[in-house]
Amino acid sequence: MERELDWLKGDMLGEDEMRRGAARSLGVPFVILSREDISPDALTLIPEPLSRAHTIVAYRAEDGTVEVALLDIADLEKIDFLKLKTKPRLTNRESVKLALLQYQKILKEKFAALSQRGVEAADSLLSHALQSNATHVHLEPAAAGMLVRYRIRGALVEAMRLPQEVGEKINAHFKSLAKLFPVSTAFQEGRFKVSPPAQAGHNDEPVSVQVRTVPGVRGEKLHLRLAREKQGQTGYTLESLGLHGGQLERLHEFLDKREGLLLACGPRGSGKTTTLYTLLDLLNSPHLSIATIENSIEFHLPLAAQTRVRPEIGLTIDAGLRALLRTDHDVVMVGDVNSRDTVALMQAAAKRGVFMLGATEDSSLVEGADCVINGRLVKKLCQHCKAAYTLLRDELEMFETGAGPDASVGANFGKVLAALKEEDAVSQEKQWKDLQFYKPAGCEKCDNGYKGYVGLQEVIVAGESGLNVIEEGLFKAAQGLTSVEEAAKVAQE
Ligand SMILES: [Zn+2]
């Protein structure tokens, strides 16, 4: 057995001979990279951590086509998602090693020049991570210097090692951007937003970066989570639906895990379906198999298998769901969840590893869900004619004491003010009496002072939640997006 493995490794035949043979039989050229000019621009088309993980190297780019050298032709599909037009060539290990060294050289040159300036080094690191399609960046003190690792498609890979002082400057800069204390032994969490330069496939979608500090024996670790505010087929982003701050973080974190049962809950017309489609859009990739079962198909999702229920032929939600679950899907969305039986089916599927999403109008059904998005829509103030005012005495009393004429209002006003400050929507010293609110007026551009709608969402994961929908309404009233009256309507439902 061992002899056989040795032979497979190429020890008897010689690695080059073996790969040359494979190249011949596939009709693909064989290249030795030490004899080719490796173009630095081509090299960086495939992010280094991916090159390393899949031993695949882009070494020349001409007229939109990239020549890539790899050890195993089957690995080509692992970079499908980069959407490069490629001409594959087989190569040997020596060649891949050489190319990986080139990467290190390019990175070193880039970072050495920047080592004096923490700001630019941090910017470069961030754009390198984004180019590499990383969702997380881990900066950890190591035996010598700072170890930087990226999470790419779920796997944590080493990206580079930086000299200690450069690493410290980068950390300090990220912490100042996220408004964290420079020195602290406690866990801290903050966030900031960046607009990376336009790059292939990503336009210039803003990226929200969540920063967490983790105290460790060798020193503090920094964990960054990068979330593109991606706009997909539906034309919506989670931000444009009204999600922000802690709610958005919680939701992204849940989506990253891609497991469990998520239910969007709210009355008819509260944006549940749009929310679910936006989530599917975020998940949509050639590597995942997504299926939906719906009463009516409102959006067409490329790459997803969408089924419409037809009760007249016995294709009910539950029947469709049972059929779907017999096939092999990674993600299944149910448009209308309206019975305990459906929830039970979905829970069972989630336990078997299918990521289940659904929408329901019945709030009593969300009990078994791992993530609940409770949503409402309120009217959006017309930005052309809204009239500013500060809170009236009785409104103020209610806001400040948390108990007004209607103590059952279900909102914690202190929590709303704290959230406004945390997200920099108002400055730290402000009190309710200082805040500007707006009333509808009316102009030729709107309907009695309102135009369109704004979403209010509460995201509950494992019992943990942020602002509830009423508090969200007040948050958005303080941002001038809606009026206090509209927010109050949610409380009266
Ligand atoms: Zn108006």
Side-chain angles (χ1 to χ4, degrees):
M1 188 63 200
E2 225 162 69
R3 285 186 73 87
E4 209 173 355
L5 279 176
D6 278 347
W7 185 85
L8 280 174
K9 275 187 204 152
D11 281 352
M12 279 173 74
L13 193 57
E15 195 209 349
D16 269 24
E17 280 315 306
M18 185 185 78
R19 296 199 198 282
R20 268 180 214 280
R24 254 195 313 276
S25 65
L26 289 164
V28 171
F30 180 85
V31 295
I32 290 180
L33 290 183
S34 58
R35 296 179 198 156
E36 307 281 332
D37 285 329
I38 302 182
S39 138
D41 290 338
L43 197 58
T44 46
L45 284 174
I46 302 177
E48 189 229 0
L50 285 177
S51 267
R52 192 196 299 272
H54 305 311
T55 49
I56 177 165
V57 173
Y59 65 99
R60 188 178 297 148
E62 254 169 24
D63 308 323
T65 306
V66 191
E67 287 179 54
V68 297
L70 68 175
L71 296 182
D72 182 347
I73 203 84
D75 287 336
L76 201 57
E77 68 174 31
K78 294 188 178 141
I79 58 157
D80 269 356
F81 69 96
L82 292 175
K83 306 220 162 55
L84 298 172
K85 213 167 123 200
T86 54
K87 275 191 203 157
R89 275 93 178 84
L90 284 188
T91 190
N92 55 14
R93 283 193 187 279
E94 205 50 48
S95 291
V96 174
K97 219 185 263 173
L98 177 79
L100 290 174
L101 281 174
Q102 295 267 20
Y103 270 117
Q104 291 297 327
K105 221 176 113 211
I106 296 172
L107 281 177
K108 244 191 207 134
E109 278 165 11
K110 207 167 167 185
F111 282 95
L114 294 169
S115 65
Q116 298 310 310
R117 304 181 298 253
V119 179
E120 278 129 84
D123 284 350
S124 297
L125 176 64
L126 213 50
S127 33
H128 183 255
L130 287 167
Q131 247 171 43
S132 309
N133 280 294
T135 53
H136 299 73
V137 177
H138 289 196
L139 294 141
E140 294 158 16
M146 178 83 73
L147 171 64
V148 183
R149 291 191 293 172
Y150 295 165
R151 190 176 291 286
I152 299 173
R153 308 188 72 78
L156 206 53
V157 290
E158 180 174 335
M160 64 187 90
R161 280 170 195 266
L162 295 171
Q164 187 66 35
E165 71 274 15
V166 183
E168 278 169 10
K169 279 181 185 151
I170 291 179
N171 270 11
H173 184 60
F174 284 144
K175 280 160 81 175
S176 87
L177 282 176
K179 299 187 191 64
L180 304 180
F181 292 111
V183 185
S184 162
T185 50
F187 288 91
Q188 297 190 73
E189 190 184 311
R191 52 189 69 82
F192 63 91
K193 215 173 250 202
V194 284
S195 294
Q199 46 171 291
H202 289 302
N203 303 323
D204 48 358
E205 298 143 347
V207 174
S208 73
V209 183
Q210 181 203 48
V211 184
R212 274 194 185 144
T213 67
V214 185
V217 257
R218 284 187 201 271
E220 193 177 60
K221 299 178 195 172
L222 220 57
H223 289 184
L224 272 57
R225 198 175 58 69
L226 316 176
R228 282 203 178 76
E229 298 182 0
K230 179 174 144 186
Q231 183 176 346
Q233 295 290 327
T234 56
Y236 293 100
T237 65
L238 291 178
E239 289 78 5
S240 73
L241 295 178
L243 281 141
H244 63 97
Q247 315 272 33
L248 187 60
E249 296 298 342
R250 245 189 314 285
L251 186 53
H252 271 303
E253 241 162 68
F254 186 77
L255 286 181
D256 283 350
K257 286 190 204 133
R258 225 190 274 143
E259 60 184 35
L261 168 61
L262 177 151
L263 286 177
C265 176
R268 182 170 289 277
S270 61
K272 299 182 294 293
T273 313
T274 311
T275 303
L276 288 185
Y277 273 111
T278 307
L279 297 180
L280 286 181
D281 234 355
L282 282 170
L283 295 166
N284 211 357
S285 99
H287 301 266
L288 277 185
S289 128
I290 299 180
T292 73
I293 177 146
E294 306 165 70
N295 280 346
S296 62
I297 293 169
E298 293 179 35
F299 293 94
H300 175 70
L301 284 171
L303 303 175
Q306 294 177 278
T307 308
R308 191 169 65 85
V309 293
R310 293 170 66 197
E312 69 278 12
I313 60 160
L315 182 53
T316 60
I317 290 266
D318 286 6
L321 191 51
R322 276 195 195 93
L324 267 185
L325 295 175
R326 277 194 292 272
T327 54
D328 182 29
H329 291 290
D330 302 303
V331 183
V332 171
M333 188 266 262
V334 178
D336 277 270
V337 180
N338 49 28
S339 79
R340 290 233 152 264
D341 290 345
T342 310
V343 175
L345 271 174
M346 292 176 81
Q347 275 178 302
K351 280 208 182 79
R352 290 207 316 270
V354 186
F355 186 24
M356 298 298 299
L357 305 145
T360 183
E361 284 177 37
D362 183 348
S363 60
S364 74
L365 292 180
V366 304
E367 243 168 61
D370 303 293
C371 173
V372 180
I373 306 176
N374 199 2
R376 298 286 186 280
L377 279 185
V378 292
K379 284 193 245 166
K380 189 175 182 178
L381 278 169
C382 168
Q383 302 299 309
H384 294 282
C385 64
K386 64 181 183 182
Y389 75 104
T390 47
L391 289 173
L392 307 170
R393 185 188 293 269
D394 55 338
E395 280 177 324
L396 199 55
E397 202 167 295
M398 176 172 81
F399 276 49
E400 279 175 343
T401 61
D406 181 10
S408 66
V409 70
N412 178 336
F413 299 100
K415 208 167 144 191
V416 179
L417 190 59
L420 283 163
K421 289 178 181 177
E422 193 190 323
E423 291 184 40
D424 273 338
V426 307
S427 53
Q428 295 301 319
E429 71 286 356
K430 291 269 164 75
Q431 294 304 318
W432 283 113
K433 65 175 168 42
D434 310 316
L435 299 191
Q436 198 136 76
F437 285 85
Y438 297 86
K439 281 191 182 299
C443 69
E444 72 280 3
K445 292 193 165 161
C446 66
D447 180 12
N448 290 321
Y450 291 104
K451 193 176 184 191
Y453 292 88
V454 56
L456 312 176
Q457 290 99 353
E458 175 184 21
V459 178
I460 310 161
V461 177
E464 202 187 310
S465 149
L467 302 180
N468 65 29
V469 282
I470 304 163
E471 291 159 348
E472 273 292 326
L474 294 169
F475 185 98
K476 285 179 173 128
Q479 287 183 307
L481 290 172
T482 190
S483 63
V484 173
E485 292 78 11
E486 275 293 301
K489 273 189 203 159
V490 178
Q492 283 147 20
E493 270 172 15

